[in-house]
């Protein structure tokens, strides 16, 4: 493997080099050297250092020139409702960035409030709005290129139903309910006594928001869901 080794150049002492230079000048009938050989050697080293610095600067300029197109790679993305969730309320949006450039951040807001954004894959994000309104979605790439899109959100319902009143009329309990969002799911209302037995309602009036139970209990637990999955829990006690 000695064939591949770079042979070292022997260094000639400056004193001997000066003698050889003087003899060469005398043999050629030329004037003696007036500049010390030490100065010439130091100047040669200075020239080499400057040349090396120029090469480094040139290399940096070439690298920056090659990277220049990447600094202007545009940002592109799409925002759609997650097709895997088959529901009418509380939507989840899927955001996919169409760029090979790394993503710096994804930001989503509604009326100035930040919306949770989760990274679920390479350049794929999940957005779960918690309120209705115009959602502003901004994606920023590592090259500082940004893009903003606006999505109208109007099917978010995170509020539980509201109990308006509860009255006893004869041997019946009339419970009046209200829900300003998805609406109460009367078919899924459940009532249980303290022994876990189901208490069937006597009647339901969805337009009036009223459900009637028999007044044959001391205490029952009533669960009132809406069509968005929110649930109100009530404890009704006969006094």
């Amino acid at each position: 493997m000695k064939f591949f080794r770079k042979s070292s150049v022997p260094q000639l002492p400056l004193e001997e080099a000066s003698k050889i230079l003087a003899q060469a000048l005398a043999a050629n009938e030329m004037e003696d050297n007036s500049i010390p050989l030490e100065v010439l050697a130091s100047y040669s080293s200075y020239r080499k250092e400057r040349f090396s610095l120029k090469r480094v600067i040139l290399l940096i300029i070439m690298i920056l020139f090659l990277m220049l197109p990447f600094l202007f790679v545009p940002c592109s993305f799409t925002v759609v409702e997650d097709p895997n969730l088959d529901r009418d309320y509380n939507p989840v949006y899927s955001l996919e960035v169409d760029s090979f450039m790394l993503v710096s951040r994804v930001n989503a807001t509604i009326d100035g409030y930040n919306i949770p954004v989760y990274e679920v894959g390479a350049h794929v994000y999940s957005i779960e709005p918690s309120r209705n309104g115009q959602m502003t979605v901004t994606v920023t790439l590592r090259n500082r290129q940004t893009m903003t899109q606006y999505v109208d959100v109007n099917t978010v319902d995170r509020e539980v139903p509201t109990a308006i009143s509860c009255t006893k009329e004869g041997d019946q309990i009339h419970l009046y309910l209200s829900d300003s969002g998805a609406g109460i799911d009367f078919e899924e209302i459940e009532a249980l006594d303290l022994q876990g037995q189901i208490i069937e309602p006597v009647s339901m009036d969805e337009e009036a928001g009223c459900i009637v139970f028999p007044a044959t209990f001391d205490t029952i637990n009533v669960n009132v869901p809406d069509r968005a999955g929110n649930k109100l829990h009530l404890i009704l006690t006969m006094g």
Side-chain angles (χ1 to χ4, degrees):
M1 300 300 291
K2 293 182 179 180
F3 178 78
F4 297 98
R5 291 183 180 178
K6 185 178 179 181
S7 60
S8 59
V9 179
Q11 299 293 325
L12 186 65
L14 290 179
E15 292 182 1
E16 296 183 11
S18 297
K19 293 178 181 179
I20 295 173
L21 178 60
Q23 292 173 1
L25 292 175
N28 289 277
E29 298 180 352
M30 299 177 65
E31 295 182 0
D32 293 338
N33 180 33
S34 60
I35 302 176
L37 196 58
E38 292 84 353
V39 176
L40 294 176
S42 62
Y43 180 72
S44 177
S45 300
Y46 170 71
R47 290 290 302 272
K48 288 181 180 179
E49 292 176 359
R50 287 195 59 186
F51 179 72
S52 299
L53 179 60
K54 288 181 180 180
R55 289 181 59 183
V56 172
I57 294 175
L58 180 61
L59 181 61
I60 293 175
I61 292 174
M62 291 179 63
I63 293 174
L64 292 177
F65 180 77
L66 293 175
M67 292 180 59
L68 191 61
F70 296 97
L71 299 178
F72 298 97
V73 172
C75 180
S76 176
F77 67 91
T78 56
V79 180
V80 296
E81 281 196 46
D82 194 333
N84 298 319
L85 298 178
D86 184 17
R87 60 192 187 191
D88 297 327
Y89 294 91
N90 298 328
V92 175
Y93 292 87
S94 177
L95 183 153
E96 184 172 354
V97 180
D98 183 18
S99 175
F100 65 87
M101 184 67 64
L102 294 176
V103 177
S104 177
R105 63 179 179 274
V106 178
N107 188 52
T109 61
I110 294 180
D111 297 332
Y113 293 92
N114 289 325
I115 304 301
V117 179
Y118 306 96
E119 185 174 7
V120 296
H123 284 197
V124 180
Y125 299 83
S126 178
I127 305 175
E128 300 181 11
S130 56
R131 60 179 61 212
N132 294 314
Q134 187 180 68
M135 182 168 63
T136 303
V137 183
T138 302
V139 175
T140 304
L141 301 181
R142 285 291 179 86
N143 61 356
R144 299 184 181 275
Q145 297 295 311
T146 64
M147 183 178 181
T148 299
Q149 292 187 20
Y150 302 93
V151 180
D152 290 328
V153 180
N154 49 33
T155 56
V156 173
D157 182 6
R158 301 291 178 86
E159 300 294 331
V160 300
T162 302
I164 299 176
S165 64
C166 182
T167 60
K168 181 179 180 182
E169 299 180 12
D171 59 351
Q172 295 179 340
I173 299 296
H174 291 247
L175 176 62
Y176 289 87
L177 305 165
S178 175
D179 186 83
S180 59
I184 295 173
D185 190 353
F186 279 87
E187 296 297 328
E188 296 297 325
I189 294 177
E190 182 183 57
L192 302 172
D193 62 17
L194 296 180
Q195 287 72 40
Q197 299 296 319
I198 297 176
I199 305 297
E200 296 290 345
V202 176
S203 63
M204 290 184 293
D205 187 345
E206 294 190 20
E207 291 188 3
C210 179
I211 183 168
V212 180
F213 292 104
T216 58
F217 56 85
D218 294 328
T219 302
I220 61 171
N221 295 294
V222 182
N223 294 312
V224 183
D226 64 10
R227 293 185 176 87
N230 305 301
K231 186 177 291 186
L232 172 68
H233 178 67
L234 297 172
I235 299 177
L236 301 182
T237 302
M238 297 296 299

